Amino acid sequence: MEIDPTREILKRLDAMADRSRLSGMARYGIRVEKALGIAIPELRKLGRETGTNHDLAIRLWETEIHEARILASMIDDPTKVTEAQMEAWVHDFDSWDLCDQVCGNLFDRTRYAFRKASEWTGRQDEFIKRAGFATIAWAAVHRKDVEDEQFAVFLPIIRAESTDDRNFVKKAVNWALRQIGKRSRELHVKAVECAEQIQRIDSRSARWIGSDALRELTSDAVRERLGV
C-alpha cells in the first residue's frame, strides 16, 4: 500500500504537539485556534528530514493547521511557486509569525519577491502589508544575488508608509528599514538619511520608526561591521 506523505506528516506533527504552549503563543499575538504548539526548531528539523517537495507543501497548506503551514513554507520549492500561490497564501495570513515565517522561508526567494513586496506594501490589510515589508527585510538578508539598487527603491515606500500606526505594520516597516541599512555601506548611508527624514514626520509611528532604526544603524556594532 502506498504511503500518503501528507497523512504521515500530519501524524508526526500531532505526535510533536505540545498544547501547553498555546497559551504562551496567544499572549504573543499568535492565533492558536488551529495551532498545535510546536516550536520552530522542531519544525525546521522535520523540514530538513522531509526535503523539498512543492506538491506536499501545497497539501499541507490546505490543512489550515498553523504549524503545517509553517512547515509548508520550509519545504516548498521557490522555483515552482507562482504569483497565484503567493496571493492565495498571503490572504490566509492570520498571525504575524505565520507571515514572517512564510516570507523568510519562501517568498523572499521566489522570482516574484520584489514585485509582490512592492504591491503588498500598498495594500490595506494589516498582514498583507506586513508581508510586503517582511519580504523586503528577509530579502535584504538572504538575497546576495540582488544588486543594492533594488533595495534602495523601497526606501521611498518605507518613508511613505511610516505613518501607519498599526502595530504589525509599523514594526515591519522599521524592520525593513534596518535590514536594508545593514546590507552594505552604500545602503547604510541611504537608510540613515531615510530614517532621519521619517523621524521628522509629524506622526507618532514615524517618529518611533525613525528613532528606533537610527539607534541600531548608528550603533558601534553596525558601524564596525560595515566599516562606516
Side-chain angles (χ1 to χ4, degrees), residues 111-174:
R111 72 192 72 181
Y112 310 108
F114 294 88
R115 184 194 311 170
K116 302 314 293 184
S118 181
E119 291 177 13
W120 293 339
T121 56
R123 303 274 181 87
Q124 286 305 305
D125 180 274
E126 186 170 10
F127 288 119
I128 295 178
K129 179 166 281 194
R130 182 182 176 93
F133 289 106
T135 300
I136 295 167
W138 282 119
V141 176
H142 295 152
R143 294 295 298 273
K144 307 304 183 185
D145 60 314
V146 174
E147 297 293 330
D148 282 353
E149 187 55 38
Q150 288 192 250
F151 290 95
V153 301
F154 287 117
L155 293 175
I157 295 175
I158 287 172
R159 184 167 56 247
E161 299 297 338
S162 64
T163 57
D164 191 322
D165 63 0
R166 291 176 294 178
N167 190 49
F168 293 130
V169 174
K170 71 178 183 181
K171 287 188 175 181
V173 173
N174 170 269

Side-chain angles (χ1 to χ4, degrees), residues 38-207:
I38 304 173
I40 294 298
E42 296 175 281
L43 290 174
R44 291 204 183 282
K45 182 174 183 295
L46 178 56
R48 289 192 295 270
E49 294 172 1
T50 303
T52 303
N53 191 323
H54 175 68
D55 292 335
L56 178 58
I58 295 297
R59 292 195 294 272
L60 288 175
W61 190 271
E62 291 171 350
T63 68
E64 300 185 8
I65 298 170
H66 186 73
E67 287 84 354
R69 285 183 160 178
I70 292 176
L71 179 63
S73 73
M74 294 175 176
I75 68 170
D76 205 348
D77 182 347
T79 68
K80 294 183 178 180
V81 173
T82 65
E83 281 191 82
Q85 178 186 339
M86 293 176 74
E87 280 294 332
W89 284 24
V90 80
H91 278 87
D92 286 336
F93 289 169
D94 59 1
S95 288
W96 63 267
D97 68 319
L98 178 62
C99 171
D100 295 358
Q101 286 293 325
V102 175
C103 292
N105 295 331
L106 182 64
F107 283 177
D108 70 323
R109 293 175 168 88
T110 69
R111 72 192 72 181
Y112 310 108
F114 294 88
R115 184 194 311 170
K116 302 314 293 184
S118 181
E119 291 177 13
W120 293 339
T121 56
R123 303 274 181 87
Q124 286 305 305
D125 180 274
E126 186 170 10
F127 288 119
I128 295 178
K129 179 166 281 194
R130 182 182 176 93
F133 289 106
T135 300
I136 295 167
W138 282 119
V141 176
H142 295 152
R143 294 295 298 273
K144 307 304 183 185
D145 60 314
V146 174
E147 297 293 330
D148 282 353
E149 187 55 38
Q150 288 192 250
F151 290 95
V153 301
F154 287 117
L155 293 175
I157 295 175
I158 287 172
R159 184 167 56 247
E161 299 297 338
S162 64
T163 57
D164 191 322
D165 63 0
R166 291 176 294 178
N167 190 49
F168 293 130
V169 174
K170 71 178 183 181
K171 287 188 175 181
V173 173
N174 170 269
W175 179 21
L177 177 57
R178 288 185 291 107
Q179 293 306 121
I180 289 174
K182 292 187 292 183
R183 183 176 166 90
S184 70
R185 294 176 64 178
E186 292 74 16
L187 284 176
H188 181 268
V189 172
K190 294 179 180 180
V192 167
E193 181 181 3
C194 181
E196 290 173 341
Q197 293 171 350
I198 290 172
Q199 193 179 35
R200 293 194 292 270
I201 296 174
D202 185 18
S203 159
R204 180 181 297 180
S205 63
R207 287 193 296 270

Side-chain angles (χ1 to χ4, degrees), residues 14 16-23 35-37:
D14 191 58
M16 296 162 64
D18 182 356
R19 289 173 174 79
S20 68
R21 295 171 173 166
L22 297 181
S23 59
L36 301 174

